[in-house]
Amino acid sequence: MFNHFNRKKMKKPLLIIVLIVLSMQIYSQNQQATSEWRYTDKYNHIIQSGLFTQGMSDDEMAGILLSRAGRNLKLCFTFEVIGVVFGTTIVYAGRNSETVYYVASAVSLGFFIAAMCELLSGYNKISKAGIIFQHKGISVKASGPGISFNF
């Protein structure tokens, strides 16, 4: 009788422990199935943007984006230099004529705005390339003097 009494007492806690363990396993499997990389939607949007062909690898796509970003940043630098040249024209030639002052300031402002647009476009492409590289497990960080890759 003593043996039978212990079995009954042990069945209930053991059953509860088994149910808790099973529910935890089911919950963790559901979490693993539903948790995905946080940039999956952005990655799919980049891939389907029409810029890339069907058979391209991630490396090729990131290379195209980085190449285009380099062109954007070169144009940004060029526009900044031209804007500074027109800005100095304002200082020297603007004293004598108001027309030259207004034209040079408008052109200088236009080049500075174009430079900022090129800069934003370039860094946008770098961030897209970073998302593609993260898909492969490579971390990309853009800093002031350059880009760092962490493998």
Side-chain angles (χ1 to χ4, degrees):
M1 184 157 140
F2 182 71
N3 195 8
H4 179 66
F5 180 71
N6 279 341
R7 251 191 230 168
K8 274 189 168 182
K9 273 193 161 183
M10 289 301 290
K11 281 184 181 180
K12 193 172 186 178
L14 186 61
L15 182 65
I16 291 172
I17 290 173
V18 168
L19 288 175
I20 289 173
V21 169
L22 286 175
S23 63
M24 288 174 55
Q25 284 181 340
I26 291 170
Y27 177 75
S28 66
Q29 287 174 354
N30 287 341
Q31 286 296 95
Q32 288 175 354
T34 58
S35 66
E36 60 182 32
W37 182 46
R38 67 187 265 196
Y39 296 112
T40 302
D41 294 335
K42 287 183 182 181
Y43 177 78
N44 291 334
H45 181 71
I46 292 168
I47 298 300
Q48 298 168 355
S49 66
L51 182 64
F52 311 113
T53 60
Q54 187 69 17
M56 284 186 164
S57 68
D58 286 344
D59 294 332
E60 291 171 323
M61 291 184 283
I64 289 171
L65 286 171
L66 289 175
S67 172
R68 289 182 179 214
R71 280 188 247 154
N72 286 117
L73 296 178
K74 286 178 189 174
L75 276 173
C76 173
F77 178 74
T78 304
F79 289 157
E80 284 288 330
V81 169
I82 293 171
V84 168
V85 167
F86 276 100
T88 56
T89 305
I90 294 171
V91 173
Y92 291 113
R95 296 181 197 157
N96 300 333
S97 171
E98 280 189 28
T99 308
V100 172
Y101 174 78
Y102 289 122
V103 168
S105 63
V107 170
S108 177
L109 181 64
F111 276 113
F112 283 134
I113 290 172
M116 289 300 116
C117 291
E118 290 294 328
L119 181 69
L120 292 175
S121 178
Y123 275 111
N124 184 29
K125 289 175 184 162
I126 289 171
S127 70
K128 286 180 181 180
I131 289 172
I132 291 174
F133 277 131
Q134 281 183 1
H135 184 254
K136 290 189 68 158
I138 300 171
S139 175
V140 178
K141 294 179 183 175
S143 61
I147 301 172
S148 68
F149 294 95
N150 296 326
F151 297 94

